[in-house]
Amino acid sequence: MGEKVLMKGNEAVAEAAIMAGCRCFFGYPITPQNEIPEYMSRRMPEVGGVFLQAESEVAGSNMVYGAACAGARVMTTSSSPGISLMQEAISYMAGAELPCVVVNIVRGGPGLGGIQGAQSDYFQATKGGGHGDYHLLVLGPSTVQELVDLTMEAFDLADMYRNPVMILGDAILGQMMEPVEMRKRPPRADLPPKTWATTGAAGRPKNVITSLYLDPAKLEKHNLRLAEKYKRMAAEEVRYATHMTEDADVVLVAYGTTARIARAALDRARERGLRVGLFRPISLWPFPYEALATAAAGAAHVLVVEMSLGQMVEDVRLALGETKPVHFYGRTGGMSPSPREILDDIVKIVERGA
Amino acid sequence: MQKVFGRPEALADVPTHYCPGCTHGIIHRLIAEVIDELGVRERTVGISPVGCAVLAYDYFNCDFVEASHGRAPAVATGIKRASPNSVVFTYQGDGDLASIGAGEIVHAASRGEKITVIFVNNAIYGMTGGQMAPTTLPGQKTTTSPRGRDPEVAGHPIRVCELLSSLSGAAYIARVSVTSPANVAKARRAVKKAFETQLEGKGFSLVEFLSTCPTNWGMTPVEALKWVDDKMAVYYPLGEYTRVPEVG
């Protein structure tokens, strides 16, 4: 084990990016993620990298598109309303197959919403967000350490698949301080060289980066090729964690910050003799459908907990079908569920179901 | 036999889709000639817009990126900042640059991004079929100003060179046309100065071309060239708008 340092989630994500070789950052101020661009503005010049505060999220995300075209490891970060503005560039980058990392420190919506943590951007992150048939790899860390580890890995995954990768955090995770080990990880050795990058056609035919296919037959072919890639991602990049699901009568399903609260509720339930387990999706796209079905196979009930009015619960229902009741408990608008509220719901379900 | 005229290396050997009488072809050629003359083809990255020139990446023989509508200056910024040795130029129409991309162009200029912008102003949206542009002249008829542009309703045309030349980061700004051999020669000099401004690291450079759209203007190519001289060049005076002040 290396030395642990106490870091705020937002600053940890910035340093993790730099340790992963990110040398370009473009962003626009928005609460609750401002520590990231502030950190980058100090740190990037020290490592010979680029920090640029864009005039808007629209421009910033298109700067990311440009830097990715040049073959750079590039990141932008924002929070919900800003991520909405970035959907144009995200769709173009998915279409043009450009690697980048986008961090969403989610706040409550819709509209200007609020600045407290929420999970109400799950649909946007995992079901498209922008226009067209595409997917992002979406990772939902639940601790500052995991935020660091997944951010570092995200750069490799982006380069491996030539696809934008999104880290879906929230204001609570971004603002909390936790001890974290900054384990520097070199880029994966098997990453494909960026022979497609537009760095000048010196001694080679020109490279063109575009998402335009005016011939519908060619666009369909392009989309089908992308679909093959998404299929590969779905087969190889599923991540999840389970806790005490083996004997569980009730399996809680929660990701990110909510999974920590669910874990506290689980501990209290176990103290009362209730057999409760926790299934925590880490990759939100691809969603761990099969692993969830397996983990919940012996349970009588599944309770999904989110800081939203019910978004991931739709994927849980897809995973489990009609095999067992899928219950939902959510708080929204920047409110978070308490362990007590979750425990009360567990007790209700057990009493009603018995 | 001595070869006295040929295709620039930076121009691809393919037919373009541009309409008869449209001056995109001349403008493409001038850029390619300058890229060749400066010997920077293998360092150059072009950015095409959304508009008639969307397929410019097929016509130039250098690396190229297709940007979303209006965002070419932001994309160029990302490329240039990540790869400062690249020679980066955008090629944008009036709807792309002066309407949906008005924010991006102003801030790229104000930051003094070391990029070159080729701005093709034909006072109309060509590719989408002749709608009113931010540079459509007062009284000019388009498919969305069928009674002629009424500034009371639709506002006034934007003079991009004058607007951008007020920004300290704008190192070279010029407006040209290609309506005569003399104007073509002047335009070529302006494009060269713009690229040299970038190569010398002086800051942002932009050349605005007053261009034609015979198809959507409902004119013959010759009438269209005359309309550029008689109407457009009156509202949009040709010339250089700003230069980096001499040091010392």
Side-chain angles (χ1 to χ4, degrees):
Chain A
M1 286 291 279
E3 195 185 332
K4 288 201 171 186
V5 288
L6 192 63
M7 279 189 104
K8 204 175 198 178
N10 281 339
E11 296 194 330
V13 80
E15 185 57 34
I18 284 172
M19 289 180 84
C22 171
R23 289 295 177 273
C24 287
F25 181 92
F26 304 95
Y28 184 82
I30 184 170
T31 307
Q33 61 83 56
N34 292 315
E35 293 85 355
I36 305 176
E38 285 167 358
Y39 189 94
M40 286 300 199
S41 70
R42 286 196 304 274
R43 195 76 175 90
M44 272 300 188
E46 293 174 1
V47 295
V50 173
F51 166 83
L52 184 58
Q53 182 169 319
E55 63 269 31
S56 68
E57 288 91 347
V58 173
S61 52
N62 279 284
M63 291 171 190
V64 171
Y65 178 102
C69 287
R73 280 202 153 176
V74 55
M75 177 166 88
T76 187
T77 63
S78 189
S79 181
S80 309
I83 295 289
S84 291
L85 284 171
M86 291 182 181
Q87 293 303 328
E88 171 190 84
I90 290 173
S91 167
Y92 275 69
M93 287 190 283
E97 295 192 88
L98 292 169
C100 70
V101 176
V102 179
V103 178
N104 184 359
I105 302 297
V106 180
R107 57 189 254 184
L112 200 48
I115 59 169
Q116 303 300 322
Q119 294 182 317
S120 41
D121 296 355
Y122 180 92
F123 283 154
Q124 185 195 51
T126 63
K127 307 295 176 189
H131 60 283
D133 269 339
Y134 76 92
H135 283 288
L136 308 180
L137 256 168
V138 184
L139 304 171
S142 126
T143 64
V144 176
Q145 183 68 60
E146 200 174 33
L147 183 61
V148 163
D149 295 343
L150 290 178
T151 298
M152 290 191 190
E153 197 176 357
F155 285 94
D156 279 352
L157 292 170
D159 284 345
M160 177 59 73
Y161 291 101
R162 284 187 61 183
N163 206 72
V165 177
M166 179 173 278
I167 302 287
L168 197 64
D170 67 65
I172 298 169
L173 194 60
Q175 296 296 323
M176 75 166 57
M177 290 185 87
E178 280 188 316
V180 58
E181 189 189 341
M182 300 300 292
R183 289 178 287 244
K184 194 169 181 176
R185 60 196 299 280
R188 265 161 71 162
D190 58 342
L191 295 176
K194 296 182 174 179
T195 53
W196 45 264
T198 50
T199 50
R204 59 157 171 76
K206 68 174 178 180
N207 282 342
V208 172
I209 294 175
T210 182
S211 57
L212 178 69
Y213 297 84
L214 285 171
D215 177 348
K218 284 186 181 158
L219 181 55
E220 184 181 53
K221 202 173 153 196
H222 172 62
N223 274 313
L224 290 174
R225 203 172 53 74
L226 292 180
E228 283 301 315
K229 179 169 83 173
Y230 303 142
K231 219 182 275 178
R232 251 187 1 261
M233 282 153 64
E236 288 168 25
E237 305 305 338
V238 170
R239 289 161 169 75
Y240 61 93
T242 58
H243 181 63
M244 302 183 94
T245 50
E246 296 79 11
D247 68 338
D249 295 324
V250 178
V251 167
L252 303 174
V253 185
Y255 72 95
T257 298
T258 309
R260 302 166 67 118
I261 306 168
R263 172 72 189 268
L266 179 154
D267 289 343
R268 292 191 198 178
R270 286 273 170 178
E271 281 166 20
R272 290 190 179 197
L274 296 169
R275 290 202 299 264
V276 175
L278 172 64
F279 183 90
R280 178 168 74 87
I282 297 170
S283 60
L284 302 175
W285 199 96
F287 189 81
Y289 293 106
E290 285 175 28
L292 172 57
T294 305
H301 295 272
V302 165
L303 171 60
V304 180
V305 188
E306 295 180 61
M307 291 194 290
S308 79
L309 285 177
Q311 300 197 11
M312 182 184 69
V313 65
E314 294 193 2
D315 280 324
V316 174
R317 292 201 168 110
L318 273 176
L320 301 177
E322 302 294 319
T323 56
K324 64 198 72 219
V326 173
H327 309 270
F328 176 75
Y329 183 74
R331 296 292 301 269
T332 181
M335 299 295 287
S336 43
S338 68
R340 175 84 228 172
E341 290 165 14
I342 299 171
L343 181 62
D344 287 350
D345 232 44
I346 293 168
V347 170
K348 253 189 274 173
I349 287 164
V350 171
E351 284 173 357
R352 219 188 309 143
Chain B
M1 281 280 277
Q2 192 199 346
K3 187 173 175 184
V4 294
F5 193 77
R7 190 184 56 257
E9 194 188 0
L11 206 57
D13 186 12
V14 293
T16 75
H17 71 284
Y18 297 121
C19 301
C22 165
T23 59
H24 270 310
I26 300 172
I27 300 165
H28 280 27
R29 184 184 171 92
L30 293 181
I31 297 165
E33 283 179 1
V34 166
I35 290 171
D36 277 9
E37 188 182 332
L38 296 171
V40 295
R41 189 189 70 84
E42 295 187 337
R43 287 165 61 192
T44 299
V45 183
I47 296 137
S48 53
V50 173
C52 285
V54 69
L55 297 174
Y57 53 75
D58 283 339
Y59 307 145
F60 284 95
N61 181 25
C62 62
D63 278 5
F64 238 89
V65 171
E66 190 349 75
S68 54
H69 201 22
R71 316 296 175 222
V75 173
T77 298
I79 293 172
K80 187 72 179 189
R81 296 281 182 135
S83 176
N85 194 43
S86 291
V87 177
V88 182
F89 79 94
T90 72
Y91 191 104
Q92 303 177 256
D94 41 67
D96 191 87
L97 182 141
S99 189
I100 195 164
E104 282 76 11
I105 194 66
V106 165
H107 285 274
S110 80
R111 286 191 304 266
E113 290 297 339
K114 296 171 185 69
I115 60 170
T116 298
V117 173
I118 304 298
F119 170 40
V120 180
N121 175 7
N122 62 4
I124 205 158
Y125 280 78
M127 186 179 70
T128 46
Q131 295 81 12
M132 188 185 73
T135 52
T136 292
L137 295 181
Q140 185 184 340
K141 287 183 179 173
T142 70
T143 60
T144 51
S145 58
R147 285 173 289 277
R149 179 177 189 159
D150 177 2
E152 284 296 312
V153 177
H156 300 269
I158 293 177
R159 294 182 177 97
V160 167
C161 289
E162 290 84 338
L163 183 73
L164 296 183
S165 64
S166 74
L167 301 169
S168 302
Y172 181 75
I173 305 273
R175 183 182 288 126
V176 299
S177 78
V178 289
T179 54
S180 68
N183 281 339
V184 170
K186 276 186 209 163
R188 193 182 188 285
R189 283 198 290 277
V191 171
K192 191 176 170 195
K193 273 189 196 169
F195 274 87
E196 283 170 344
T197 300
Q198 176 178 177
L199 288 167
E200 289 160 13
K202 288 179 177 167
F204 177 88
S205 54
L206 176 143
V207 178
E208 173 177 347
F209 282 83
L210 300 185
S211 183
T212 54
C213 188
T215 302
N216 288 301
W217 290 355
M219 295 181 196
T220 66
V222 173
E223 287 167 351
L225 288 174
K226 193 168 163 18
W227 198 78
V228 170
D229 285 338
D230 295 350
K231 303 285 187 197
M232 286 187 75
V234 172
Y235 194 91
Y236 301 111
L238 304 182
E240 291 184 343
Y241 280 82
T242 187
R243 305 283 295 272
V244 172
E246 296 299 326
V247 179

